[in-house]
C-alpha cells in the first residue's frame, strides 16, 4: 500500500479519514490479502498530555517527541494521543485557544505515521466555572476538537491487526458549576455496549480514556485516605465495569495525571502513560522524564509496553 499521506501537504480531515480507513480489520501498513487472514505483531505509540503552548519551548518539545517517534527502531503503525494536546482551552479566550490549536497542527505535520486523537479536559473550550468563553459562544465545548481532530466525534473505535481499539470521551460536565468532571455519558455507554457486542468476546480490546479509571499515585504520595475529587478519575466506571468484564479488555490507557503508572487488576492492565510535557514543561514528574509509551501487540492478545524518553531538557 502506498503511503497514505504526504508529509508536506495533507488536510487534517483527509489525514484522519485515511487513518481510519487504513485501520480496518485487514489494515496492515504494508499488508497483502493473505496478511489479512494471518495477523502479525504490530506496534503503536501512546502519546499523552503534550500540552502545547507558545512558552517554555513546548512546540519544539512536541516536535522533538514526534521526531523520536519517527525514528523508533520498531516503526509504530500509528499514534494514539491521550488528550490534553494543548495547554488549556478551559480558562482562556478564543484567540489563545486558536493559537494553541495552530501550534498543535504545526507539530502534528512533522509526524510521519497516522494519528488518532482522544479528547482531554484541557482540549474542551470553556468547561470551567472560571471560563472566559461561555455557553453559546462560538467554539464552546468540544466543537473544535471533534471537527478538527475527531472525525466529527469525540469517541469512536477501529480495528487493527486483530485488535479492537476504543477511544473514549471521558470528559463530562457538572451541570451546576459547568466545570468538567470524569464521566462517560449514557449515550456513549449505549454506543460502547453495541460496539463491544459487535466486537465479540474473543477479540483483544484496548480502551483509551484521558481521565483514568483507577489510579494509586495520590495514595502513594499523599497518604492512603487522600480523597479524590470528580476530576481525578472517571466517576461512573463502577457502574459500567460489569459490561467491560464481559469482553476481552486487555489494556486501558489513560493520561491526565502526567504520571507513569501501571496497575494490573484481574486480567486488565491500567496504564497511565506519563506525559510528553512532563510537569507542564517544567521538568520530569517524580523522576519520570518527558516521554511516551510504545506498545507491541501480538495476535495472541499479549502485549508489551515501554516508556520512552525523548531527551527533553526543561527550559527556565
Ligand atoms: Zn487532563
Amino acid at each position: 500500500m502506498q503511503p497514505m499521506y504526504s508529509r508536506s501537504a495533507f488536510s487534517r480531515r483527509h489525514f484522519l479519514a485515511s487513518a481510519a480507513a487504513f485501520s480496518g480489520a485487514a489494515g496492515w501498513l504494508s499488508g497483502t490479502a493473505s496478511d489479512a487472514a494471518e495477523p502479525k505483531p504490530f506496534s503503536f505509540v501512546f502519546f499523552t498530555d503534550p500540552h502545547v503552548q507558545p512558552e517554555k519551548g513546548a512546540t519544539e518539545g512536541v516536535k522533538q517527541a514526534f521526531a523520536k517517534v519517527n525514528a523508533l527502531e520498531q516503526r509504530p503503525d500509528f499514534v494514539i494521543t491521550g488528550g490534553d494536546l494543548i495547554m488549556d482551552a478551559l480558562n482562556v479566550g478564543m484567540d489563545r485557544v486558536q493559537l494553541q490549536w495552530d501550534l498543535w497542527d504545526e507539530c502534528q505535520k512533522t509526524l510521519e505515521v497516522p494519528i488518532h486523537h482522544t479528547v482531554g479536559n484541557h482540549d474542551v473550550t470553556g468547561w470551567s466555572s472560571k471560563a472566559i468563553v461561555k455557553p453559546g459562544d462560538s467554539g464552546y465545548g468540544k466543537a473544535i476538537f471533534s471537527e478538527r481532530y475527531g472525525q466529527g466525534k469525540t469517541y469512536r473505535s477501529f480495528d487493527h491487526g486483530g485488535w479492537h481499539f476504543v477511544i473514549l470521551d471521558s470528559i463530562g460536565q457538572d451541570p451546576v458549576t459547568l466545570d468538567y468532571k470524569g464521566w462517560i455519558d449514557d449515550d456513549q455507554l449505549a454506543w460502547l455496549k453495541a460496539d463491544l457486542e459487535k466486537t465479540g468476546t474473543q477479540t483483544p480490546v484496548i480502551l483509551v480514556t484521558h481521565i483514568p479509571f483507577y489510579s494509586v499515585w495520590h495514595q502513594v504520595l499523599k497518604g492512603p485516605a487522600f480523597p479524590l475529587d470528580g476530576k481525578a478519575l472517571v466517576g461512573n466506571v463502577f457502574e459500567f465495569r460489569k459490561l467491560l468484564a464481559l469482553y476481552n479488555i486487555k489494556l486501558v490507557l489513560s493520561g491526565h495525571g502526567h504520571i507513569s503508572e501501571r496497575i494490573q487488576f484481574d486480567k486488565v492492565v491500567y496504564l497511565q502513560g506519563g506525559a510528553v510535557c512532563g510537569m507542564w514543561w517544567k521538568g520530569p514528574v517524580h523522576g519520570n522524564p518527558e516521554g511516551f509509551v510504545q506498545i507491541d501487540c501480538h495476535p495472541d492478545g499479549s502485549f508489551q509496553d515501554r516508556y520512552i524518553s525523548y531527551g527533553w531538557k526543561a527550559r527556565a
Side-chain angles (χ1 to χ4, degrees):
M1 193 177 282
Q2 291 301 304
M4 43 178 297
Y5 62 90
S6 128
R7 197 205 283 207
S8 57
F10 60 83
S11 75
R12 176 140 293 85
R13 206 172 290 267
H14 172 255
F15 182 71
L16 289 169
S18 303
F22 205 61
S23 309
W28 293 105
L29 269 181
S30 55
T32 64
S34 62
D35 289 336
E38 201 176 309
K40 293 176 187 166
F42 66 92
S43 156
F44 73 98
V45 160
F46 181 57
F47 191 99
T48 195
D49 291 80
H51 284 288
V52 78
Q53 60 172 1
E55 297 79 14
K56 296 191 182 299
T59 309
E60 283 165 72
V62 175
K63 287 180 186 172
Q64 189 171 314
F66 278 148
K68 181 80 178 182
V69 173
N70 292 338
L72 286 172
E73 196 177 315
Q74 188 174 352
R75 185 136 173 122
D77 284 8
F78 53 86
V79 167
I80 298 182
T81 60
D84 285 1
L85 306 178
I86 60 174
M87 179 53 78
D88 181 56
L90 292 169
N91 291 310
V92 299
M94 194 49 83
D95 287 354
R96 173 84 182 180
V97 172
Q98 287 293 358
L99 170 66
Q100 294 172 91
W101 284 125
D102 289 347
L103 290 177
W104 175 259
D105 289 350
E106 182 187 322
C107 294
Q108 186 175 295
K109 276 182 203 159
T110 66
L111 180 66
E112 296 172 356
V113 298
I115 189 164
H116 302 274
H117 291 301
T118 307
V119 65
N121 52 301
H122 288 285
D123 304 322
V124 180
T125 309
W127 280 19
S128 163
S129 50
K130 301 173 198 142
I132 294 172
V133 181
K134 301 290 188 190
D137 290 351
S138 171
Y140 180 78
K142 298 172 180 171
I144 297 175
F145 176 90
S146 62
E147 281 164 24
R148 282 170 66 158
Y149 308 102
Q151 301 175 18
K153 300 176 201 154
T154 56
Y155 55 86
R156 60 195 177 86
S157 67
F158 62 91
D159 296 304
H160 190 88
W163 287 63
H164 187 64
F165 290 81
V166 181
I167 296 179
L168 295 169
D169 173 356
S170 59
I171 316 302
Q173 187 177 33
D174 185 302
V176 177
T177 66
L178 302 184
D179 278 316
Y180 81 87
K181 64 176 185 176
W183 200 264
I184 311 279
D185 66 33
D186 289 347
D187 285 352
Q188 187 178 174
L189 284 176
W191 168 84
L192 178 64
K193 185 169 182 289
D195 185 75
L196 290 173
E197 273 171 14
K198 204 167 64 184
T199 301
T201 58
Q202 301 304 309
T203 305
V205 176
I206 294 178
L207 301 182
V208 189
T209 170
H210 176 67
I211 298 182
F213 285 4
Y214 309 107
S215 184
V216 297
W217 68 269
H218 299 88
Q219 275 63 50
V220 173
L221 298 172
K222 299 172 185 176
F226 184 83
L228 297 182
D229 66 19
K231 296 179 174 179
L233 300 176
V234 174
N236 57 334
V237 175
F238 184 71
E239 280 135 49
F240 62 80
R241 59 190 281 273
K242 286 186 180 147
L243 165 70
L244 301 182
L246 299 173
Y247 296 94
N248 190 16
I249 315 284
K250 294 290 185 182
L251 175 63
V252 178
L253 291 166
S254 68
H256 196 50
H258 296 207
I259 289 277
S260 179
E261 180 190 80
R262 195 178 196 283
I263 300 168
Q264 179 154 6
F265 184 79
D266 284 342
K267 293 176 184 166
V268 185
V269 171
Y270 300 87
L271 187 70
Q272 196 170 150
V276 173
C277 77
M279 186 74 84
W280 309 95
W281 298 106
K282 293 174 187 164
V285 180
H286 304 292
N288 192 54
E290 299 85 347
F292 52 82
V293 183
Q294 185 167 26
I295 297 156
D296 304 330
C297 296
H298 301 273
D300 66 358
S302 64
F303 68 92
Q304 291 91 37
D305 54 273
R306 56 193 166 276
Y307 193 80
I308 297 173
S309 162
Y310 61 93
W312 183 248
K313 298 278 178 282
R315 298 176 184 178

